[in-house]
Amino acid sequence: MENHSLLSFIVALLGFLSPSLTKLTPRISFHLGSSGRHLTHFSSHDVSNTTMLLLSQDGDMLYVGARDAVLALDVSHKDAIILRSKLDWSPSDKDLEQCSMKGKRMADCPNFIRVLHFLNNSYIYACGTFAFSPRCTYINSETLEMSIKPDEGRGRCPYDPYQRNTAIIVDGELYTGTVADYRGNRPVISRHLGRRVDLKLDDTLGWLEDPTFISSSFIAEQEKIYFFFSEVGKEYDFIDKFIVSRVSQVCMSDIGGQRTLQRRWTTFAKAQLLCQADNELPYNVIQDIDSLPPAEGAPADDTLFYGIFTSQWSVNSGRSAVCSFRLSDIKTVFSGNYKVLNRDTLQWSTRVQEKVANPGECGLHNASDNALRFVKENFLADESVRSVGKSLSMVSTEHNYTHLTVQRVQAANNRGYTVLFLLTESGYLHKTVLLQSGAHIIEEIQVFERPQPIKSLKLSIPKSVIYVGTSEGVVRVPTANCSFYWTCAQCVLARDPFCGWDPVHRACVEASDTQTNLGQDIDGGHVEGICNSVSVIHRARFGPNKLPAGELVSVSLNEVVRLQCPAVSRLSLQLWERPNSRLSSDLYLNLEDGSLSFVATPATLGHYLCLSTENGYQQIMAIYHVKQRNNAMAQTPISYIQPQTQPIPTTQIAASPGLHTYVRTFSKRPGARQGETEPTLSSRDTQVTTRQMGRNMTLWTEKSRQNETDFQNGESLLLARGPCYLKELVVVSILLGLCFSFLMTTCLYIIKQRCRSRTAPQPGTPTRDPDRRTPVEQEALRGSQFLSNCNGQAPHSGQASGLVCNRILAGYKGHLPNTPI
């Protein structure tokens, strides 16, 4: 109980000391089916659970392990994934019946492929659950046919399709981490298929404690296989079921001991992976891990392992952290001291004792029995493997990451950047670059809509694509999407190591070794120095009597106006400005979506500009001119061109001090030849063409200079001579208050008189007057007459009714027909 109380205090203290986390927001979001992100899908009505992915060396063929089948998909075409061949491998009716008799659901009894690896250049080795009776076989990679009859797969493949496992083939030998019994109570790390003797872990000491296997990796320089998993940490006796993440190793040259540890690993050792930041609780449950080879010319010790971790602590609930571990640190921990296991109590201690042998060292199969007994009892490293820099690479408080793959990308400045592709539980793929200032999520792509219980990622660096295997099919996602960024500013602000701005072709292109003059700023994302453009200067873009053209919005006084401002990215901030005027919070309302709402009055008529600010760079997104509607314009409403679906090249928006900005664009006439454009004219010879660029960017056209001069002079005259209704508004408000007080007093007096007349004795029977009305009916009649006055009928009380009608119109909340939504 004392230990439990101490742990609770520590958890509460560390939770209090944990620093606030910065919210990581993807810059661009692409929903499923979005035209801005091209994805290629493969699915078939008779194929499901396509989650085991194996890519050929040239990247043109993708082998998929599914339910009751193995598929060969041709992925050499850019816009299609073609099914070349299919191997049906399903249990018989008798096998399914036996599976059902074991108490298993029929939905779990098919053959789910869980091991799929190249054995050599000609054959694939595959294993499946096969109705809770694992089977393995050899498959010809060309014809996709079985070469021999399937044999037993116990110890190589799990029984349960939902049981996680890992497998890797090196030099024709299969190294696996899985369970070796039907109930899943015997976890094993074993070697099969080789010319050397098959090996597994010793069963007597509990070398593994209810593990969940995640991944395995081969390090050629060391001739070692590393396994990553999570298990119950028995060395922590202050709490039950405390989960820890582990890395373990075995040597490929191990053949077991001669008398002690016969047919057992003599080189097995394990250590804790500690993903923890200062003054925070550790993220102790590993979800996925991937290796990043060292840079060209760097030693193998610089190999990094990036993993996703979650926490069993309620303080960190709902968070996902990414940590990296260096191979040199793992080697240092394994070459250090080891904990001692008491055989009788199965308790670990850290007492210092004489080292008879070095656990985890290769070549111990020739050691003495005394040395082998020492490594049999001392296989848990005393120290933990800390993450690089003893910090987190990134942490998300909003997304639960389940899978990841990592790639090193060389940018135009010849610097290498680490890019993570993280798959969320909700079905989004996050493309993230790790910077010194922190993680930056370049974009998120929705790859599936409904939750998928089992998923997998496969990265093809030569083809620059990622394959996502789900329960419903396979999705191919290009790693780069440079053509989406249509201006130099957007290309630089993306901070994507894959993309750079080509000043010659004026396009955002994929970075390569041959292009060194591309515009990039991955670390800072500063536009001015790269694009040779000047940011919009606050309050200095309008000269005297020079107002830019924009979309004409005709309104009536006292109507509610809402002006839309398209967002460039989710990291941009939308701001509104007026020439030579301040947007008071008493008159204007800035909405959450970036739009501006206000009531049309003589003081709020005029020009409005929407500015997008991101990373210190400003650009104009929309220009509006709000003008009072006259009778002629009311009869002839301004027409608008519907948004186009095909992208049209545009001019980058930039402004310099003392100049006002014009943005020119034309809509393409239906049936016109390529390159032929036709301007669209509205009423009064004013161009108000609008179009949607497909990237949430709206651009507005320029008027003719003669119309612009007349329009500006009229607008200046309207602003200079416009009447002020402040005094009239005060008088009307006072009159309305007096009228309302008088009306309420009269009603109360009439009701009081009626109550007295009912209780007083009457001299005779009253006669019924068909025209008599009760005070309530009289009041309702007055209300009907009042509404008639508002609809254009003659008022009964002079100007009073007209003032009230205007007050009602001032509260009108309807949308305007010419207001962008």
Side-chain angles (χ1 to χ4, degrees), residues 25 93 105 189 217 286 387 418 434 441 448 497 504 518 523 556 595 615 656 691 744 748 804-805:
T25 302
D93 294 338
R105 299 186 310 162
I189 292 178
S217 181
I286 186 172
S387 57
T418 301
L434 300 181
I441 303 179
F448 55 86
V504 178
L518 296 182
D523 295 294
S556 299
S595 59
N615 200 23
S656 58
R691 66 182 304 278
M744 291 298 297
L748 293 175
V804 175
C805 292

Side-chain angles (χ1 to χ4, degrees), residues 177-206:
T178 184
V179 292
D181 67 328
Y182 170 79
R183 301 181 182 275
N185 296 329
R186 290 181 55 198
V188 294
I189 292 178
S190 56
R191 182 179 67 194
H192 305 273
L193 306 180
R195 58 187 179 274
R196 290 170 290 198
V197 62
D198 291 352
L199 293 181
K200 64 178 182 179
L201 292 180
D202 189 83
D203 299 330
T204 57
L205 292 177

